[in-house]
Amino acid sequence: MKTVRHYLSLSLASIVLWGAAGLPSAWAAAPKALVLYDAPSGTQFEKLGFAYAIMLRNLLGHFDAQVDLLPVEQYTAGKINSYDATFYLGAYYNNLPPAAFLADAEATQKTLVWFKYNLWQLAWDAQYPFAATHGFSFSGLRGLNSVPNAGNTAPGFFDTVTYKGLPFVKYYTYDSAANVVNADPDIGVTTITDPAKASAVLTISNPKTQETAPYVVRSGNFWYVADMPFSYIGPRDRYLVFADMLHDILGIQHAESHKALVRLEDVSAMVSVSSMKTLSNYLSRQHVPFSIAVVPHYEDPLGVYNNGVPQTIPMAQATNLKTSLNYAIARGGEIVMHGYTHQYGNIPNPNSGISTDDYEFWNIVQNRPVAEDSTAWATGRLTAGLSELASNGYHPVAWETPHYQASAVDYRAMAANFATTYQRAVYYTADVPQFNAPISKDFAVGQIYPYVIGKDWYGQRVLPESLGNVEYDSQYKYTAQDILLNAKYAKTVRDGYASFFFHPFLVVPSMNVPGLADFKTIIQGITQLGYTWIAPSNAK
C-alpha cells in the first residue's frame, strides 16, 4: 500500500539568509516581460536568483507573457525599453547592478518591479534623485528581532501580510540542536515621503514588536516588494498575495472566478473496486466532476506484496482497475495518466519498488536523475503508458508526474507528449544539477500554482493542485480542515483554484481512518466556499 504523502511546497532554494495611482492599460497582445536576477559569479548562491526567476517566469505564464530571463550583470543600456514590464529579483545581498540598469531603472516610464535587496544601490546614490522622483525612501533592512536561542526560539520578525482580510504568515522554524533558522526574515524598509507620488499598497507587520512597514510600494509604474515572495512558499503564504497582485502589476484584470478540482490518486491494478465505487457514487450524487490518476502498468519487482515473488500486471490483465475506471467514467470521471509504472526498476526508490509507492523519473535516494535519463528514455515510458491505456479503450486528458518530481529533460518530454499537465512541479537550475558542488551550487525549487499556467519553464500547460491531500500519518498529519483553510486562502486570488487529491484506499474499512467522512467534508466545504466544480478538460 502506498505511503501517503503531503507536499508542504517550500521553495527548496530558500537558503537561510538573515541578518541585520491608477492601473496601467492592458496590452493588446500578450505582454513582453524581462526578468533580471542576481548571478554573483563564483559564489555559493550564484544560481539562487535564477531559481527564483524561473518561478516568476512560471507565474507570468498565467498571463501568456513572452518572458526573457537574464542575469542583471549582463544588462545593457536601454534594454528595459524593449519590454512592457521588467522585474528585478534582488536575491543576493549587496550585489551591485550595472550602472546602465540603475540609470534606466530611475528614468524608465515602463513598469518596473524591484524585489528585496539592493534598492539602496539606487536610492542612496546621490546621482539619482530617487526619493524626489518616486516619493519614497529606502531606510535599510530588518531581519529577526534578535538572535534565536534555546530560551527564545522565535524572537519574531516582519512576517504577516494581511490581504483581503486574511493573515498570510511567512514560514519560520528553528532547530535549536543545530542552531539553524529555516526562514527568510529579511525585508527592505521604506518610508513614503510624498503620498502624491507613492503609496503602500500593502503592509507587513511584526507581531512581536507591533510594528508595521510597507510591503508593496507603488510609485506610478515603479513597484517595490519588500521581500522575496518565492522563498519558503506554501498554501497560506504571501506568495499567493503576489500571484494575485500580478494582475494589477501587469494591468490584466482576469474576471473573478473560482473553480475547484478533485483527483482520485494512485489508482492502479491493486485498487479497491468498492472504494472507487463509493467515491464515484458520492461525487456523482453531488454533481461533482472529477479525475482519476491512473497508473497503467503495475510492478512489484521485489514481490513485497506477493510472498516474495515478483509480480507484473499490465493493464490488459488489471480487472479491478478497468472495472473501477469504467464505473467512474460513467459517473463523470476523467483519466489523468499518472506515470507508466510509478516506480523505478527493481530497487526501492526509496520505499518498496512497488507501483504508486516510489518515484519513477528521479533517483530520490541519490537525489539526481536516473542513470538512463534522456529524452528517448522518458518518451519511451510515456508512449508505453499511452499505448496501454489506448489499447484498453482509455484516453487521458492530462499527465501527472509521479510524486511531482522528474528531471528537466523528462519534464520537457512530458510537455511534448501531453497538451496538459495537472500537478505541482520541481524546477532545476541545470538539466543535470550539481547539488554537491562547492560553489555555483544548483538549486531545485518546488512550486505550487493558484491558477492555470499557460506555459511553464519546461513548456508545460499546468493545471493547479493547490491544497494538498488528507494524511493520517502521525508525523505528517494533514486534516480536512487544513485543506479547507487552504481553500479559503486560495480564494483571495481573483481567479484562484481550490484543487486537491485523495487516495481511494483511505476509504477501505481496514485502514481504520475516517477517510470517507473527511472526503465528504472537503467536498461540501469547498462547495460552501463558493467554488464551482469542473473537470480537468474544462479548466482554463
Side-chain angles (χ1 to χ4, degrees):
M1 186 169 292
K2 175 170 177 143
T3 301
V4 184
R5 83 270 190 227
H6 168 69
Y7 297 91
L8 185 59
S9 299
L10 300 181
S11 167
L12 302 181
S14 300
I15 304 302
V16 179
L17 295 169
W18 60 277
L23 295 173
S25 299
W27 296 288
K32 189 177 180 184
L34 174 64
V35 177
L36 301 169
Y37 57 92
D38 291 331
S41 179
T43 72
Q44 184 180 0
F45 303 108
E46 180 174 345
K47 294 188 177 183
L48 178 61
F50 181 38
Y52 292 144
I54 290 171
M55 297 176 79
L56 174 55
R57 182 254 173 272
N58 291 337
L59 287 185
L60 291 170
H62 179 59
F63 302 90
D64 299 322
Q66 304 172 49
V67 187
D68 291 330
L69 272 56
L70 184 73
V72 72
E73 291 82 359
Q74 297 179 21
Y75 182 87
T76 54
K79 196 170 187 65
I80 199 171
N81 296 319
S82 299
Y83 296 87
D84 299 303
T86 296
F87 301 81
Y88 166 53
L89 296 161
Y92 192 78
Y93 173 77
N94 221 24
N95 196 42
L96 178 60
F101 173 65
L102 296 177
D104 285 352
E106 175 66 16
T108 186
Q109 298 300 308
K110 296 291 190 76
T111 295
L112 173 62
V113 186
W114 191 303
F115 296 83
K116 196 177 179 177
Y117 289 141
N118 307 323
L119 185 62
W120 55 86
Q121 307 285 12
L122 178 63
W124 292 351
D125 190 325
Q127 67 180 302
Y128 305 116
F130 181 84
T133 300
H134 297 292
F136 72 98
S137 62
F138 184 83
S139 304
L141 296 174
R142 285 283 298 272
L144 292 171
N145 295 329
S146 62
V147 177
N149 54 52
N152 183 20
T153 59
F157 59 100
F158 284 89
D159 68 357
T160 304
V161 176
T162 300
Y163 187 64
K164 297 185 180 179
L166 290 175
F168 291 78
V169 181
K170 294 174 66 172
Y171 181 84
Y172 174 88
T173 63
Y174 173 62
D175 182 344
S176 57
N179 192 30
V180 171
V181 170
N182 292 294
D184 183 9
D186 280 2
I187 67 163
V189 180
T190 56
T191 301
I192 305 300
T193 57
D194 186 349
K197 293 181 178 179
S199 63
V201 178
L202 286 174
T203 59
I204 187 168
S205 65
N206 187 327
K208 290 292 180 75
T209 65
Q210 301 300 307
E211 296 172 282
T212 61
Y215 180 64
V216 176
V217 175
R218 182 180 183 187
S219 172
N221 286 333
F222 188 101
W223 303 70
Y224 176 66
V225 182
D227 75 349
M228 186 62 64
F230 303 105
S231 68
Y232 291 92
I233 67 173
R236 306 168 205 161
D237 179 64
R238 85 286 192 208
Y239 165 78
L240 290 185
V241 175
F242 178 75
D244 188 48
M245 290 200 68
L246 267 176
H247 294 87
D248 303 324
I249 291 169
L250 296 173
I252 299 176
Q253 299 303 320
H254 291 158
E256 190 83 16
S257 173
H258 300 289
K259 305 294 176 54
L261 294 168
V262 56
R263 188 177 69 226
L264 304 183
E265 194 80 343
D266 292 334
V267 178
S268 73
M270 294 301 180
V271 70
S272 162
V273 175
S274 175
S275 295
M276 284 295 292
K277 286 185 175 181
T278 296
L279 294 168
S280 298
N281 285 337
Y282 174 73
L283 291 168
S284 177
R285 288 195 301 268
Q286 299 297 312
H287 306 289
V288 174
F290 60 101
S291 61
I292 311 105
V294 178
V295 181
H297 194 92
Y298 176 85
E299 293 282 357
D300 180 1
L302 304 178
V304 174
Y305 288 166
N306 197 40
N307 298 316
V309 179
Q311 184 178 28
T312 295
I313 306 176
M315 194 162 194
Q317 300 171 16
T319 303
N320 281 11
L321 176 57
K322 291 191 288 186
T323 299
S324 298
L325 292 182
N326 293 340
Y327 195 87
I329 290 169
R331 286 155 182 81
E334 294 184 344
I335 291 178
V336 173
M337 183 170 150
H338 189 25
Y340 172 42
T341 64
H342 201 317
Q343 53 81 240
Y344 173 66
N346 60 356
I347 62 171
N349 187 34
N351 299 310
S352 65
I354 297 172
S355 291
T356 75
D357 203 15
D358 280 11
Y359 291 73
E360 180 174 356
F361 292 88
W362 187 259
N363 185 330
I364 194 63
V365 176
Q366 298 179 1
N367 195 28
R368 62 172 176 78
V370 299
E372 61 270 60
D373 190 55
S374 67
T375 299
W377 175 81
T379 300
R381 299 191 72 80
L382 301 175
T383 302
L386 284 168
S387 178
E388 285 209 27
L389 286 169
S391 64
N392 287 276
Y394 303 110
H395 304 282
V397 299
W399 162 266
E400 179 199 353
T401 305
H403 290 315
Y404 296 151
Q405 190 152 359
S407 74
V409 170
D410 298 339
Y411 275 122
R412 293 191 191 100
M414 294 160 189
N417 284 272
F418 288 86
T420 298
T421 64
Y422 177 11
Q423 59 189 2
R424 306 182 185 190
V426 177
Y427 299 90
Y428 309 94
T429 53
D431 280 5
V432 182
Q434 302 297 314
F435 291 129
N436 298 316
I439 61 172
S440 300
K441 183 178 179 181
D442 283 309
F443 291 91
V445 288
Q447 191 165 10
I448 58 176
Y449 297 115
Y451 35 49
V452 175
I453 303 301
K455 182 181 285 188
D456 75 349
W457 177 243
Y458 297 129
Q460 303 175 113
R461 177 177 182 259
V462 187
L463 306 187
E465 183 279 289
S466 54
L467 307 184
N469 63 291
V470 172
E471 292 193 1
Y472 298 100
D473 183 278
S474 59
Q475 185 177 1
Y476 301 107
K477 187 173 182 180
Y478 215 69
T479 69
Q481 294 308 315
D482 287 323
I483 290 176
L484 288 177
L485 185 56
N486 291 348
K488 185 177 180 180
Y489 274 75
K491 202 175 177 187
T492 61
V493 179
R494 65 200 69 183
D495 50 357
Y497 274 65
S499 178
F500 80 104
F501 64 93
F502 183 85
H503 292 93
F505 69 73
L506 295 176
V507 178
V508 176
S510 62
M511 289 295 293
N512 197 30
V513 296
L516 182 58
D518 284 342
F519 183 76
K520 291 179 178 179
T521 294
I522 295 169
I523 294 293
Q524 293 166 9
I526 290 176
T527 300
Q528 291 166 4
L529 283 170
Y531 286 92
T532 300
W533 293 98
I534 63 169
S537 61
N538 291 326
K540 293 182 171 63

